[in-house]
Amino acid sequence: MMDTLCTVTRLAETRDSDFAQCLVEGLSRTPREIPCKYFYDAEGSRLFDAICELPEYYQTRTETALLTRHADEIAKRIGPQAEIVEFGAGALKKVRLLLDAAKPHAYTPIDISGDYLMDVTRTLAADYPNLALRPLVADFTAALPIAALPGVRSRAGFFPGSTIGNFRPDAAAGLLRRMRASLNGGGLLIGVDLIKDPARLHAAYNDAAGVTAAFNKNLLARANRELGADFDLDAFAHYAPYNPAAQRVEMYLISQARQSVTVCGRRFDFAAGEAVHTEDSHKYTPDSFADLAARAGWRLAQEWRDADGLFMLAWLEAV
Ligand code: AVJ
């Protein structure tokens, strides 16, 4: 069935050279940084799946409960004969709730991890034999001209998990604007983590079991595995404070001592206490997110929140 209804399009693919180049450039900057998109190699994706099961990491189960409870209302927003376009689709798990409720004509999952996307698409195809599947191997942060599919009446975007939080507000507005262009007037269902008690946010990124620390350090392990670097993982510590002024959790790897690391033939000397920035996770209120969406040409037409106000699902309409 995969071959009849499934067309694979490869617009971009992660290449080791990209990782190598971005890593060397990032470590050469002050402050040093490593782009968070490199968290998601096979091991990183496995660790992130484990994070989603943690007691402290409320985001995934809260969003999934919202998708389950409001599936019918959301399906009405998506409309009949639709194509769902998912940005950064990952494991293709959450979308099943939308596929069951909205019964779209087509589904276009977009992800940069080509092989992983092919695997999970094959599994999905077996469960949804009548769904036109168009996996797109691409960097969803780029402008994506997505060709129209026959039999589709409207397009609806899906961007769950509060991944929008990884982008600083200006970059987030730019990304939402590009998504608006790719969706050709279609709406966007987006998951947004809400501002809350800093202690709760801190716990979500500093879990007792140390899984987030392993996820963070996996960046260094990946550099050793793929690029022959010589990072000593025990010589770096995970550090993820919530910054109330910037309304974001900031993740860092902190050098525990003066040390040198060689990456792609380049030597980097770290001071004790020196930080390498690896991720931001911005948090919003419904109003501050509506303002961000408006900057990108969207209107927040409907939103759903859990009783504790931890997480919001928003339906955006192009204006
Ligand atoms: C997948 C980007 C939404 O920022 O909460 C989880 C990634 N980082 N724990 C987030 C993440 C640390 C997650 N996003």
Side-chain angles (χ1 to χ4, degrees):
M1 192 52 73
M2 173 97 168
D3 49 12
T4 53
L5 279 176
C6 182
T7 53
V8 184
T9 310
R10 294 176 184 269
L11 288 186
E13 186 90 54
T14 50
R15 290 187 304 275
D16 287 358
S17 57
D18 293 350
F19 181 35
Q21 191 189 338
C22 286
L23 184 61
V24 168
E25 277 171 14
L27 292 177
S28 307
R29 276 199 206 105
T30 306
R32 303 184 198 266
E33 59 184 15
I34 305 175
C36 60
K37 69 177 175 184
Y38 293 108
F39 279 134
Y40 302 97
D41 64 340
E43 175 61 8
S45 297
R46 188 191 66 74
L47 285 163
F48 178 63
D49 286 347
I51 286 174
C52 295
E53 306 300 324
L54 290 169
E56 297 97 334
Y57 195 78
Y58 56 84
Q59 290 93 327
T60 308
R61 62 178 168 273
T62 307
E63 183 177 46
T64 302
L66 286 169
L67 285 167
T68 306
R69 186 171 313 122
H70 302 289
D72 295 344
E73 292 168 78
I74 293 167
K76 282 204 195 76
R77 289 285 182 178
I78 291 173
Q81 287 303 105
E83 173 193 11
I84 293 178
V85 176
E86 184 172 2
F87 301 94
L92 312 190
K93 279 197 198 135
K94 287 177 190 162
V95 72
R96 287 171 178 261
L97 293 161
L98 295 188
L99 298 179
D100 296 341
K103 300 185 176 30
H105 174 76
Y107 172 46
T108 299
I110 303 169
D111 205 283
I112 195 115
S113 307
D115 300 342
Y116 184 66
L117 181 59
M118 288 306 108
D119 289 351
V120 288
T121 301
R122 212 163 271 111
T123 313
L124 195 81
D127 298 340
Y128 297 87
N130 304 317
L131 179 65
L133 272 171
R134 177 175 49 179
L136 190 51
V137 181
D139 176 352
F140 75 78
T141 65
L144 291 175
I146 305 173
L149 269 179
V152 165
R153 271 174 52 184
S154 66
R155 206 172 253 176
F158 184 40
F159 193 38
S162 198
T163 300
I164 189 68
N166 280 157
F167 302 85
R168 299 202 167 181
D170 290 349
L175 176 62
L176 291 174
R177 211 170 286 121
R178 288 190 293 281
M179 288 178 172
R180 184 175 172 283
S182 298
L183 295 168
N184 298 345
L188 175 64
L189 182 69
I190 184 165
V192 181
D193 194 15
L194 297 173
I195 289 178
K196 56 185 63 66
D197 169 11
R200 186 93 196 246
L201 287 167
H202 186 271
Y205 295 85
N206 298 275
D207 58 282
V211 181
T212 310
F215 174 73
N216 198 4
K217 287 191 179 188
N218 178 60
L219 276 172
L220 308 181
R222 182 180 181 178
N224 292 352
R225 275 193 302 270
E226 295 180 16
L227 308 175
D230 58 0
F231 283 103
D232 170 2
L233 270 60
D234 296 333
F236 287 86
H238 168 72
Y239 181 60
Y242 175 63
N243 174 345
Q247 299 177 335
R248 64 180 178 229
V249 171
E250 299 170 352
M251 278 207 335
Y252 300 92
L253 291 164
I254 309 291
S255 177
Q256 296 302 284
R258 272 170 62 79
Q259 59 180 312
S260 300
V261 178
T262 302
V263 180
C264 303
R266 291 274 306 274
R267 194 181 109 166
F268 295 94
D269 299 325
F270 292 85
E274 187 171 352
V276 180
H277 178 259
T278 56
E279 186 183 51
D280 285 330
S281 201
H282 290 81
K283 312 303 174 185
Y284 293 89
T285 64
D287 290 347
S288 66
F289 186 73
D291 293 346
L292 175 77
R295 283 172 56 193
W298 294 103
R299 182 178 72 85
L300 201 162
Q302 189 169 8
E303 52 104 347
W304 302 271
R305 261 176 273 171
D306 60 295
D308 302 325
L310 301 177
F311 203 89
M312 174 175 78
L313 267 178
W315 176 256
L316 304 182
E317 284 179 350
V319 289

